[in-house]
Amino acid sequence: MANNSSFTDGSTSRRRIDERVILVQVLVVVFLSINIMLIVTFFMKDVFYTTMRYILFAHALMSDCVTLFTTNLLLIFSFAGKPVHLWSCVTMFILTTVCNFLTPLTLTAMTLERYVAICMPLRHAELCSTRSTLQVFLIIYSLGLIPCFMNLLIFFVSVSSDFNKHMGMCQGEMFVVHEWQGHLRSAVNQFYFLVMFVIIAFSYIHITKVAKAASGENRTSSRKGLRTVLLHGFQLLLCLIQLFCPMVEAAILQTNIMLYKNFRYFNYIMFIVAPRCLSPLIYGVRDEKFFLALKYSILCGLLKNKL
């Protein structure tokens, strides 16, 4: 309790918390603005919303926007010590949990699209059509919703009906009511991690082989695809590490509230904000076609403002 009291009453701690919250608000506003600008650019040309990789890119941006917004709210509530009604917490829990899975699943799909484009170019148009994209989204959302609703189902079956009136701190740990439920969540996260890691490694190895065997323009294209997969792999790794953070946070919460808040803040910056800043880099800047459309959009906006 001493740690909690000093955290609440100490002016130095309060100043440091305020500075942290302000820093997060600046980062969130910057990345949300960039993502929204990229989403607007996505809808500017038909080629973008009729091509699988750009559709997946836009979906990743939208998922990142929802994640940044909801997790930022939860972070503010956590540092402010503001209790939240159960159903409001459930809504934010669903959005946050589902998007935490949607982003790595979308990145995995984008990696597979690059694998098909480079290793199976003759079948790319067939396998990566608009219709195939809809099927990919069905798979992504099915896989993303399963862990969330599995946790919620166990939670509502286990708690009493008057728990609906509960007000408290909105944290993912509050929905884990059994020890075995925590183990189940951990097992599901590890399974997702393993499957996505295998897909990334498989794609990387095969694209590497094609890049070595290619020549001329094909080699340049293959190497660019290889770098894209590497960036996806790094981004995916950060996202997947975030899936394990709630388990570590739950253990720390039982011992030291101050350490828990510091660790949660670090996790937020490293494994939620940082991976979301890589999406604009991978396709928003590195992709020549999208970058030209983005530059045109920005320049037209500046010219209109001047006029």
Side-chain angles (χ1 to χ4, degrees), residues 40 104 146 173 199 291:
V40 171
I146 288 172
E173 294 77 18
I199 291 173
F291 179 70

Side-chain angles (χ1 to χ4, degrees), residues 15 21 31 33 42 58 81-82 148 161 176 182 217 240 266 296:
R15 193 181 309 114
V21 173
F31 289 129
S33 301
F42 166 77
K82 182 176 177 61
C148 175
S161 58
V176 179
E217 292 184 4
L240 292 176
F266 173 79
Y296 175 81

Side-chain angles (χ1 to χ4, degrees), residues 76-115:
I76 292 172
F77 290 153
S78 175
F79 275 109
K82 182 176 177 61
V84 180
H85 190 272
L86 174 67
W87 288 109
S88 298
C89 187
V90 168
T91 302
M92 287 189 285
F93 174 77
I94 292 173
L95 290 173
T96 304
T97 305
V98 171
C99 287
N100 281 343
F101 282 99
L102 289 185
T103 296
L105 288 168
T106 304
L107 291 174
T108 305
M110 293 170 79
T111 300
L112 284 174
E113 188 276 333
R114 287 294 81 200
Y115 162 76

Side-chain angles (χ1 to χ4, degrees), residues 13-185:
S13 297
R14 175 59 63 188
R15 193 181 309 114
R16 181 156 49 87
I17 292 168
D18 292 342
E19 290 170 356
R20 287 181 174 185
V21 173
I22 291 171
L23 174 61
V24 168
Q25 302 318 301
V26 172
L27 291 174
V28 169
V29 169
V30 169
F31 289 129
L32 280 177
S33 301
I34 293 173
N35 284 0
I36 291 171
M37 184 170 57
L38 291 171
I39 292 170
V40 171
T41 303
F42 166 77
F43 286 104
M44 286 178 58
K45 289 192 174 183
D46 294 350
V47 67
F48 293 146
Y49 51 85
T50 56
T51 305
M52 176 182 278
R53 62 172 170 164
Y54 293 119
I55 296 173
L56 290 172
F57 170 55
H59 178 261
L61 291 175
M62 293 174 188
S63 175
D64 290 346
C65 287
V66 174
T67 300
L68 288 172
F69 181 76
T70 54
T71 54
N72 184 45
L73 278 180
L74 290 174
L75 187 74
I76 292 172
F77 290 153
S78 175
F79 275 109
K82 182 176 177 61
V84 180
H85 190 272
L86 174 67
W87 288 109
S88 298
C89 187
V90 168
T91 302
M92 287 189 285
F93 174 77
I94 292 173
L95 290 173
T96 304
T97 305
V98 171
C99 287
N100 281 343
F101 282 99
L102 289 185
T103 296
L105 288 168
T106 304
L107 291 174
T108 305
M110 293 170 79
T111 300
L112 284 174
E113 188 276 333
R114 287 294 81 200
Y115 162 76
V116 173
I118 294 170
C119 300
M120 307 168 63
L122 298 178
R123 299 197 61 193
H124 182 261
E126 174 193 350
L127 295 176
C128 299
S129 63
T130 306
R131 183 176 180 179
S132 299
T133 305
L134 296 175
Q135 295 171 348
V136 169
F137 278 133
L138 180 61
I139 295 172
I140 288 174
Y141 275 90
S142 297
L143 292 174
L145 288 167
I146 288 172
C148 175
F149 285 106
M150 182 177 65
N151 280 331
L152 287 178
L153 179 63
I154 297 171
F155 171 76
F156 282 110
V157 167
S158 303
V159 299
S160 58
S161 58
D162 60 349
F163 198 82
N164 294 337
K165 303 175 182 178
H166 176 73
M167 292 277 291
M169 295 304 299
C170 187
Q171 300 163 353
E173 294 77 18
M174 71 176 290
F175 296 101
V176 179
V177 293
H178 303 290
E179 185 176 352
W180 61 265
Q181 184 185 356
H183 296 322
L184 178 62
R185 183 178 67 171

